[in-house]
Amino acid sequence: MIGAIIGDMVGSIYEFNNIKDKRFFLLTKCSTITDDSFMTMAISRALLDCDEDIKEKRDGYEQKLYDKCIEYMVYYGRRFPDAGYGSRFAKWLKDESRKPYGSYGNGSAMRVSPVGWFCDSLEDTLRIAVITASPSHNHEEGIKGAQAIAAGIYLLRTGSSKDEFKKYITDTFGYNLDRKLDDIRPDYSFHVSCEKSVPEAIIAFLEGESFEDVIRNAVSLGGDSDTIACMAGALAEAIYEIPEEIRASVKENLIEQREVTRKDFDFYNLVVIGKKSKAFGEQSFNMPNPWEYPLDHSIEEFYKGFHDRLRDQVEINFENGKRVGTIELMKELYEEIKVLEPGKGCDKRLLEIAEYFGYIKRYSTCMKICDSIIESGADAETGKKANQLKEDLRTFYFISRGIISWDR
């Protein structure tokens, strides 16, 4: 799973700026995670929620997992609306019916890596991979791509050699894996179908001699570089140790970009670590929570700046501050909230109200309004502001309660 996320981050800056060479900067400050990583996290959260149901094969476990996959994909899609989703998938995220749309794209394969670590048999791996693909990518090729990556991870982590893995994938899915990267690279272009990207990712893995080498192979092909590197990295993680300097650089970027938290890596730390080769040593990935992130400025500057920003915003939005803090205005706003529907053109007004309640220290009300804006997914720009308000409010709250030291 971490291998997939690292591949995604490395490939992110080369997706629309392809480089047909293995000599490139592996990670830069601009390297970031995209939809590949967020959807991988979504599947991992769904599997964790259904852990006992799947393992004991309780009645309805397949439908429960299917529903959980949708729930978490929508959750991450709304939480990170600008992560680079394909147009059809972005539309699916906003469509309340969320019916499968026959996609044969590589989205099913890029998000499936947790399945290869979760299941304890090849049969279960293949079956669960179908379920994670089906909410959107229910085309035969979309399902095949997901099964190939998930089965590959399972086989490799349970002791199969590269040759055994290659034979199984070729015999089972019919992919041509006898080609060489040097022959593919010159004419390879942007393809988002499983059929034209999953085999290439597998070949990048087969020719690699280390985790980093696999990632460089994948990115050097060009095309949909973040997704190809995501799939290749997911396979590579099963047999190669991930260098500590790469793990540290990825973590540093994630902390600075403030996009994910410790909980997003629960599956990796609770499930994957226990099944990884002990020869890899300690490979946990413990992210700090948002309020533990280092700030770019002093705590005092943040505290005063956030308070002043909220005050100024509230005074602009609520009659230049004449009624701010009055019981009458607060009652009016509570009544207004009852009739405003998130995602129905009211998000900006809801954000103004959230800022007001944050300013008067009604923290839980502010948080609830922000959550409703984010979950509606209708106004992406307002959603981003609501997300930022939540993060700032958490930091402000912990400072005010002395949980974060002023002289940290």
Side-chain angles (χ1 to χ4, degrees):
M1 177 183 167
I2 292 296
I5 291 170
I6 292 173
D8 175 37
M9 179 176 282
V10 173
S12 64
I13 60 174
Y14 300 108
E15 180 180 11
F16 299 110
N17 185 27
N18 286 170
I19 181 166
K20 298 281 188 170
D21 195 303
K22 291 174 67 172
R23 297 168 296 180
F24 57 83
F25 289 111
L26 197 70
L27 288 161
T28 73
K29 289 292 184 182
C30 297
S31 303
T32 187
I33 53 176
T34 73
D35 57 327
D36 303 52
S37 295
F38 295 128
M39 292 301 107
T40 296
M41 292 172 186
I43 298 304
S44 76
R45 296 279 291 273
L47 289 169
L48 269 185
D49 277 10
C50 300
D51 186 356
E52 292 184 4
D53 298 274
I54 296 171
K55 289 179 178 175
E56 296 179 15
K57 292 184 170 56
R58 294 173 180 169
D59 289 345
Y61 80 90
E62 292 176 318
Q63 184 62 50
K64 180 179 179 181
L65 176 60
Y66 182 92
D67 292 340
K68 282 291 180 179
C69 286
I70 294 176
E71 177 185 330
Y72 279 111
M73 284 193 284
V74 171
Y75 165 76
Y76 279 95
R78 288 176 173 171
R79 184 174 157 196
F80 304 103
D82 301 318
Y85 308 102
S87 58
R88 293 180 71 193
F89 188 75
K91 184 177 180 181
W92 178 87
L93 286 172
K94 292 184 178 182
D95 185 349
E96 291 299 324
S97 67
R98 295 194 184 89
K99 294 179 181 179
Y101 51 93
S103 176
Y104 49 79
N106 52 26
S108 58
M110 76 186 189
R111 69 191 186 215
V112 79
S113 59
V115 176
W117 291 97
F118 178 83
C119 297
D120 294 323
S121 73
L122 182 58
E123 179 184 5
D124 283 349
T125 300
L126 294 171
R127 181 171 59 254
I128 298 302
V130 174
I131 297 172
T132 65
S134 296
S136 52
H137 294 60
N138 60 330
H139 187 281
E140 177 185 354
E141 289 296 333
I143 289 173
K144 187 166 78 170
Q147 286 185 312
I149 296 297
I153 293 169
Y154 174 81
L155 290 170
L156 292 163
R157 75 171 179 82
T158 54
S160 293
S161 67
K162 277 190 174 184
D163 288 340
E164 290 169 332
F165 156 73
K166 178 182 176 182
K167 184 178 187 308
Y168 173 83
I169 297 297
T170 301
D171 293 347
T172 306
F173 302 105
Y175 290 143
N176 178 8
L177 303 179
D178 288 328
R179 296 168 294 153
K180 298 297 182 183
L181 291 177
D182 286 343
D183 297 326
I184 299 170
R185 191 179 288 111
D187 299 319
Y188 190 71
S189 57
F190 198 94
H191 296 286
V192 295
S193 68
C194 278
E195 186 178 16
K196 294 185 178 181
S197 60
V198 172
E200 285 70 20
I202 294 173
I203 293 169
F205 161 72
L206 290 171
E207 288 195 24
E209 297 178 356
S210 66
F211 180 82
E212 180 177 340
D213 195 40
V214 169
I215 298 298
R216 290 188 180 278
N217 281 345
V219 173
S220 73
L221 282 173
D224 192 4
S225 58
D226 60 334
T227 300
I228 295 173
C230 173
M231 295 184 287
L235 294 168
E237 182 186 5
I239 65 168
Y240 294 122
E241 180 178 359
I242 302 173
E244 181 56 35
E245 60 269 23
I246 294 178
R247 295 162 56 80
S249 295
V250 167
K251 186 181 290 189
E252 181 181 349
N253 274 20
L254 291 175
I255 290 173
E256 288 186 358
Q257 292 161 14
R258 301 189 183 190
E259 292 193 302
V260 290
T261 67
R262 183 177 299 153
K263 191 165 185 62
D264 296 308
F265 294 92
D266 276 354
F267 180 88
Y268 179 79
N269 291 317
L270 295 174
V271 177
V272 177
I273 290 300
K275 297 183 178 182
K276 292 192 79 167
S277 169
K278 297 300 181 283
F280 293 165
E282 176 56 47
Q283 293 274 298
S284 61
F285 204 82
N286 290 315
M287 291 289 297
N289 281 315
W291 50 84
E292 296 169 339
Y293 289 178
L295 298 172
D296 296 330
H297 35 66
S298 74
I299 292 292
E300 187 169 1
E301 284 177 11
F302 171 82
Y303 189 86
K304 186 176 187 303
F306 178 63
H307 180 273
D308 290 348
R309 177 168 66 81
L310 275 185
R311 181 200 61 211
D312 293 345
Q313 201 62 47
V314 165
E315 288 183 354
I316 291 170
N317 295 330
F318 295 92
E319 301 182 13
N320 295 318
K322 293 177 183 176
R323 300 176 62 212
V324 171
T326 63
I327 295 296
E328 292 76 14
L329 178 57
M330 187 169 63
K331 287 181 178 179
E332 289 175 16
L333 293 178
Y334 273 120
E335 290 300 316
E336 190 174 350
I337 293 170
K338 293 179 183 178
V339 298
L340 293 177
E341 292 187 55
K344 303 290 185 180
C346 308
D347 290 352
K348 290 182 179 179
R349 177 57 180 171
L350 281 168
L351 180 62
E352 292 176 357
I353 296 174
E355 289 170 334
Y356 177 83
F357 280 112
Y359 177 68
I360 65 171
K361 299 183 180 180
R362 299 273 176 161
Y363 299 126
S364 63
T365 301
C366 177
M367 287 287 198
K368 287 177 183 178
I369 298 172
C370 288
D371 283 337
S372 72
I373 295 169
I374 295 164
E375 289 170 8
S376 76
D379 186 340
E381 185 60 33
T382 305
K384 285 177 67 174
K385 291 179 180 178
N387 237 335
Q388 186 62 54
L389 175 58
K390 278 184 63 177
E391 181 182 319
D392 288 347
L393 186 60
R394 275 195 294 262
T395 305
F396 182 84
Y397 177 82
F398 281 98
I399 292 170
S400 67
R401 293 296 185 272
I403 297 172
I404 296 180
S405 171
W406 285 79
D407 58 359
R408 182 180 62 168

